[in-house]
Structures are given as C-alpha cells and as structure tokens.
Amino acid sequence: MKISRKLYSYYLVWPALLIYCVFFVLPAIIGLFYSFTDWRLDRVGIKFIGWENFERIFTDKTLLLAIKNTLIFAVATVIGKNLIGLALAIGLNMRLKSRNMLRAIFYSPSILSVLVISIVFTPMLRSEGTINRIFESLGLDFLSQNWLTDPQIVIWTVAAVSVWQHAGFQMAIYLAGLQSISKDYYEAATIDGAGAWRSFRSITIPLLLPAININLMLTLIGGLKVFSEVFVLTGGGPGNASQVVGTIILRSFGEGSWGLGTAVNTLLFAAVTIIAIPLLIFMRRKEVSE
C-alpha cells in the first residue's frame, strides 16, 4: 500500500509523458536518423551517407547566410525585447492614472497574428511608405531606407518588427516581477541614502532575476527558431538576403531534399540546446547566489 501511494503521482504523469514521447521524442529520433541519409522525393530508396548533409550546410553560401541571419535576429531580438520590455515595465509600474490603459496598448500587439502584422507593416516599410515619409517630413531624409529590399538591413528590419510586436509580452512578465518586490526594500534603501540607480542595481535587478531568466530563455529560443516573421514579411528575400534556418528547412522540404531538411532541423535543435541549457544553468546559479 505504501509503495502504491508513492507511485500514485507517477501514474498521473505517465499518460502525458507517453504522449510527449510518441509525438515529440520519437519523431526527433527518427529525424536524427534521416539527417544522415540521402532521403529525397525523387528517390525510391534511402541510403546512409554519414555527415554529407552537415558538410553541405557549412559549405553552401546560402545555408551559411541563413545561419548568420538567424544569429543576428536572435541577438537583436533578445536585446531589443528585454531592454524595451524592462523599460516599459518600470515606467508602467509607477502610479500613473492611465497605466492600465497603457499596459493594454503595449501588450496588445503580442496577441496579434504575424500575418496581420505583415499586412500592416509591409506597405509602411516600402521606399515610398509611411515610415520614410515621416522621416522626410521631419527633415531626416538620411534615415529613409529601402527597409525590405536592401540586403544589408532587411534582417534588421524584420528583427525590429518582431521587437515591436513582442516587447509588450516581455513587459508583462517584468511587470509581474516588479510588483512582487516589496516596497519595504526601497524604503530601507532610501533611509540608508541610496539613490534611484543604486536601488535599481542592488534591489530591483537581483530580485527580478527570475523574470529576467524567463524572458531571456523565451526570447533566445524564439529568436533561434524564427520563421513566421521572415516568411510573411520577405519570404527570405530579396534574393536570399533574409533567409534564416527556419525558411531553409521549409525550402529544403519543398524542393524534396528531405534528408538535408532534417539535417538543418537537427542542427537547429542542437544549437538551441547547446546555447539555452548553459544559459539556463548560469541564470539559475545567479538567482541562488543573489
């Protein structure tokens, strides 16, 4: 009876664990196997080719550009979403009469479909679009750019749109963290003569580490797995200038290069794991130490 009671909690977990293994773990293992094959639409048999697909990834210029763009997008969005989200949270944590309305306004873009965002931003980002017209009306013509057709800046444009859409979501997490911090800490710091910056550095940041940890992980994983923003805004263009790993996977499967597509997907999974897990461990240790 005692053993049965100890195992009771596991009985509740096993169904969910079984579903997870069948629909996530097993396909991942099968995909890992196919990434080492020449699996293609135009071939009947499948032959084991070892590391050839992975060698192609690191020798093909388009694939290397996609990896570079993915890293640029991830870094830009992690920094942008967290800095802007934290700034909004701090500002809207103050006693403003309109703070509830402003919170709703800044959060609302995060619940919109990426397709809706693209419909709104595509005409705005054209060379004759709203954004360039605003710059011109302010006498800032030098800031006008071909936002979606210039290969040098197109991935940064897509990243900026993503930051605009999702910074409000990070704001909500930071805001919840800020509201959980007792006001007594700040009152004690004021009595000890600490200024606003000292209180922010010594009280707010340490006690906000759980929220920072969550937001860093969400934005990092989301940045590395980017697909929708690029697909709906540029389709990977102009040319291949804004291709990312996600769009390369889609293109590979669309062209029938299924072995290459699974290899790229496997590489993406490995990259997310290698980057995210050490960061998570580091942030958890910082939480404990603080």
Side-chain angles (χ1 to χ4, degrees):
M1 182 65 70
K2 291 182 179 180
I3 296 176
S4 179
R5 288 180 178 177
K6 289 181 180 179
L7 294 176
Y8 181 74
S9 59
Y10 292 99
Y11 294 151
L12 300 177
V13 174
W14 285 343
L17 184 61
L18 179 61
I19 293 173
Y20 178 79
C21 290
V22 170
F23 291 100
F24 293 94
V25 177
L26 184 60
I29 295 173
I30 295 173
L32 177 62
F33 167 75
Y34 280 120
S35 66
F36 293 95
T37 68
D38 63 347
W39 188 28
R40 286 184 57 87
L41 177 64
D42 55 358
R43 293 178 184 173
V44 178
I46 298 175
K47 185 175 67 175
F48 184 81
I49 59 173
W51 295 94
E52 287 186 21
N53 287 326
F54 295 95
E55 290 174 359
R56 180 179 172 185
I57 293 173
F58 291 103
T59 55
D60 187 290
K61 291 183 179 180
T62 301
L63 295 174
L64 288 174
L65 178 61
I67 294 173
K68 175 185 174 183
N69 285 338
T70 303
L71 293 175
I72 291 174
F73 182 92
V75 172
T77 52
V78 166
I79 295 174
K81 291 176 184 178
N82 283 282
L83 288 182
I84 294 175
L86 180 58
L88 290 173
I90 292 173
L92 296 180
N93 194 41
M94 299 177 180
R95 295 182 178 178
L96 302 173
K97 291 183 178 180
S98 59
R99 64 181 182 274
N100 291 330
M101 181 184 69
L102 291 174
R103 290 171 185 174
I105 290 173
F106 287 121
Y107 180 79
S108 58
S110 65
I111 65 176
L112 297 176
S113 167
V114 178
L115 182 60
V116 174
I117 299 297
S118 69
I119 293 173
V120 172
F121 271 93
T122 299
M124 292 176 62
L125 292 168
R126 290 173 181 165
S127 56
E128 70 281 2
T130 306
I131 293 177
N132 283 344
R133 287 185 178 180
I134 292 175
F135 286 142
E136 292 169 2
S137 65
L138 295 174
L140 302 173
D141 299 44
F142 65 94
L143 293 178
S144 298
Q145 303 289 335
N146 296 317
W147 302 104
L148 295 177
T149 56
D150 186 344
Q152 301 298 322
I153 65 171
V154 62
I155 191 64
W156 295 97
T157 302
V158 177
V161 173
S162 181
V163 170
W164 176 88
Q165 181 182 6
H166 296 289
F169 181 80
Q170 269 62 58
M171 173 204 71
I173 296 176
Y174 283 129
L175 194 56
L178 287 172
Q179 291 179 345
S180 68
I181 301 175
S182 173
K183 302 296 183 184
D184 295 340
Y185 293 113
Y186 296 103
E187 293 175 1
T190 302
I191 293 173
D192 290 339
W197 171 247
R198 182 63 183 274
S199 296
F200 176 76
R201 189 181 63 183
S202 302
I203 299 174
T204 304
I205 293 298
L207 296 179
L208 202 60
L209 279 178
I212 294 174
N213 188 11
I214 293 172
N215 273 332
L216 282 178
M217 294 304 300
L218 290 175
T219 53
L220 176 62
I221 294 174
L224 292 174
K225 293 173 60 180
V226 58
F227 169 76
S228 301
E229 292 90 339
V230 174
F231 183 74
V232 298
L233 281 171
T234 67
N240 291 312
S242 62
Q243 291 282 4
V244 291
V245 172
T247 56
I248 288 293
I249 293 172
L250 176 67
R251 191 177 75 172
S252 298
F253 278 96
E255 294 174 350
S257 300
W258 297 337
L260 177 63
T262 53
V264 177
N265 193 45
T266 299
L267 183 65
L268 176 61
F269 171 77
V272 171
T273 303
I274 292 171
I275 295 174
I277 290 181
L279 178 61
L280 178 62
I281 294 173
F282 172 76
M283 292 300 295
R284 289 295 186 189
R285 287 177 178 174
K286 290 290 290 183
E287 285 184 37
V288 174
S289 64
E290 293 292 344

